[in-house]
Amino acid sequence: MIKRNLIIGIVLAFLVSHTTWAQEKLITKANQKYREYSFSPAIDIYKKVLDKGFVSADLLKNLGNSYYFNADYKEAAETYKRLLSDYTTDIGPEYYFRYSQTLKSLGNYDEAQDMMDQFSEKTADDVRAGIFKSEKDYLEEIKKNSGRYEIKPFEYNTPYSEFATSYYKKGLIFSSDRDTGNLAKYRHTWNSKDFLDLYKVNTDSLDNDLVIKLGDDINTRLHESTSVVTNDGKYLYFTRNNFKDGKYITDENGIIRLKLLRATLIDGVWTNIEELPFNSDSYSTAHPTFSPDGKTMYFASDMPGSYGQSDIFRVAVYNDGKFGTPENLGNTINTEARETFPFVTSENVLYLSSDGHPGLGGLDVFATKIDSDDYKGAVVNVGEPVNSKMDDFTFVFKEDTRTGYFASNRDGGQGADDIYSFVETIPLKLVCDQAISGTVRDKITNEVLVGATVKIIDENNNEVLTTITDSEGAYRLSADCNRGNFVRALMQGYVPSEEYLGKSDGKPNIIDFYLERDQVTAGFGDDLAKLLQLSTIYFDFDKYNIRKDSEIEVEKVIAAMEKYPSLKIKVNSHTDSRGRDAYNLWLSQKRAESTVNYMISKGISEDRLKGEGFGETKLVNHCENGVRCSAIEHEKNRRSEFIILE
């Protein structure tokens, strides 16, 4: 790939010489669910506990999640930040991910990326953290897209370099160095003998003499390549080295940059060559193409605002011939490596070449669907035989005939770069709809929730789709399986819940939601400990004073009683079956009294509290005297209940 490498290696600083390089990609996987039974009382109860100086990992988790699910990302970020700072050993990787999400929503992308890095380190098997995790994964995806093209060499190839086809009338314009010889020996030098020119040909002609060079106004003693003619045929946009008044111009590093130019067709001659206003001597602009309506031009550049060595940009083209401000297409399409040679079809499919997305080697051709200025769709490798282990680039395609052209420096060609024609026999699947269904229920009663809202939320917290549950509590939605999405269920009076779905093969997915009430609604005989999702209140062996790590759980009850002054409760304490029955009865009574006394010391009136110990008389499982049970099974019996009296 001699001549093109001269452009993309030496002339274009932002397109380095081709290498077989692959980097890990962030492609995400739904393998971790948030399984903790984490009921979140009203936010003001938790805040009140915090204001008293009592804090724990569980409290911050619940408070942060409450903010998060209610889209209060500023407060959620502050809460998660405290959680990650003070309780690093007590949290799972999911909280790094959620903190990252809140930071993105606040525009703190650098810090969000740092959290994702830590998330990745802690969850190597999660697709959200997996960027080209294994070669097998992305090669399998490429294999699925392969075998859809029939290719053959372009009949006008020569032993020199041909590439950069574009459609013109009934034929093509392409770039070649056929008149100047192979430039391999000039790879690191520059003189008047080394140049690419633009040629045109009618592809239905059998006469090679009809391959002719465009006029002298277009072609110079430097390089011209990658062109596009507007739909009305009036203008030719093309790429040229930075060349003015017969001299080439270098930047401060001695690099000859590329610029975009426009020629006007006057009396059958391309003339009035003019630079586009966003060119620069310090960066390159190259490889123009247009949207179907001609109102947007796409091009490659390493201008300020680029993510990598070269990115795909767009710019508005107005009716008066003026231009808007170039915009980067974003980091779904662009990476830290090379994205270049864009082409947009009549159906708004953007094709480009990249070595930043997972490929077979060098530059590969990729495609992504763009609709309504959305550049977040999956970037899909088009597969073999268009792509190879070498560089594959300048892909153009007509959807009405399913035919097109691309260039490659693969083995078996005539020259350094060769053009290949192709027929697409099987369309590339770019839109992947995954059916998602399920029910929404009350977590405690298991009753279906009619009229609950279920949403599809993308990874940037943008709402994609929404629906409500029917009379049976059921919902049905579809999501783009080429990207990661959240499925979120909401209902007034309940804490929202969500599941993450990573990139998938599109098979239907069933997600049932069990929502928790967002406030304490209970009556006589209900256990406030269950309603508040209290952790086990532990006591040291043979002791009945409340341990420091259990105080926070009792404080939640105290906060609820302060919020509801009429609330009266009875503390029931239980032990497991180990030890003498009489001793267990005495010990449980002392623990109940200790809990009551602690609450009284914190300001709860004595007439609102009662306490009773039941020893091992009310076991919740089979672990009676003489029955062998695990420590976890015994632990379930060592519990405290806060029974509502009124």
Side-chain angles (χ1 to χ4, degrees), residues 415-433:
D417 298 318
D418 288 292
I419 296 171
Y420 296 83
S421 63
F422 68 83
V423 176
E424 184 186 64
T425 58
I426 301 174
L428 178 65
K429 186 176 182 182
L430 291 172
V431 178
C432 178
D433 290 325

Side-chain angles (χ1 to χ4, degrees), residues 128-308:
R128 290 171 291 178
I131 303 176
F132 297 100
K133 176 185 167 186
S134 69
E135 181 177 331
K136 179 181 178 180
D137 292 338
Y138 75 81
L139 288 177
E140 188 64 28
E141 290 300 314
I142 294 174
K143 184 178 179 180
K144 292 178 182 177
N145 294 329
S146 295
R148 302 179 302 99
Y149 300 98
E150 296 176 356
I151 70 171
K152 62 180 181 179
F154 184 50
E155 60 183 311
Y156 301 106
N157 285 333
T158 70
Y160 303 106
S161 185
E162 282 82 32
F163 67 98
T165 50
S166 65
Y167 295 108
Y168 179 54
K169 295 183 177 179
K170 294 183 179 181
L172 298 171
I173 295 176
F174 65 94
S175 183
S176 175
D177 66 345
R178 60 180 61 199
D179 285 349
T180 59
N182 193 303
L183 301 181
K185 63 182 179 180
Y186 302 115
R187 187 67 55 85
H188 298 290
T189 64
W190 192 263
N191 59 45
S192 62
K193 294 182 179 180
D194 303 337
F195 59 87
L196 290 160
D197 283 337
L198 291 175
Y199 296 78
K200 64 179 180 179
V201 62
N202 289 328
T203 56
D204 57 357
S205 171
L206 299 178
D207 186 354
N208 197 53
D209 292 337
L210 292 182
V211 178
I212 61 175
K213 187 183 296 187
L214 296 189
D216 292 339
D217 283 353
I218 299 295
N219 291 314
T220 67
R221 65 185 180 90
L222 294 183
H223 288 279
E224 287 78 30
S225 69
T226 52
S227 63
V228 62
V229 176
T230 54
N231 292 335
D232 59 12
K234 293 182 179 179
Y235 299 104
L236 168 70
Y237 291 81
F238 64 99
T239 305
R240 175 188 285 172
N241 286 131
N242 195 354
F243 184 77
K244 187 174 182 180
D245 297 330
K247 298 180 181 180
Y248 60 82
I249 300 172
T250 63
D251 65 10
E252 60 183 9
N253 297 315
I255 298 173
I256 305 173
R257 297 289 184 171
L258 291 185
K259 289 189 173 183
L260 288 171
L261 294 95
R262 177 172 62 188
T264 304
L265 186 64
I266 300 177
D267 297 330
V269 178
W270 293 113
T271 188
N272 290 349
I273 311 298
E274 57 182 335
E275 285 194 21
L276 301 193
F278 46 85
N279 286 337
S280 172
D281 293 339
S282 60
Y283 58 78
S284 292
T285 56
H287 317 321
T289 190
F290 279 92
S291 61
D293 61 10
K295 296 181 179 180
T296 302
M297 185 173 75
Y298 296 86
F299 63 97
S301 179
D302 60 344
M303 66 174 55
S306 299
Y307 293 97

Side-chain angles (χ1 to χ4, degrees), residues 78-121:
E78 293 178 2
T79 306
Y80 287 143
K81 181 177 181 179
R82 184 175 180 182
L83 174 67
L84 270 61
S85 174
D86 297 342
Y87 296 94
T88 304
T89 61
D90 296 329
I91 58 175
E94 188 69 19
Y95 287 91
Y96 288 87
F97 181 80
R98 288 189 179 176
Y99 184 35
S100 176
Q101 290 296 104
T102 62
L103 291 170
K104 288 180 182 178
S105 298
L106 299 176
N108 299 333
Y109 295 107
D110 290 341
E111 192 175 355
Q113 183 60 48
D114 181 62
M115 289 299 106
M116 284 301 298
D117 289 342
Q118 296 188 53
F119 173 76
S120 300
E121 293 174 2

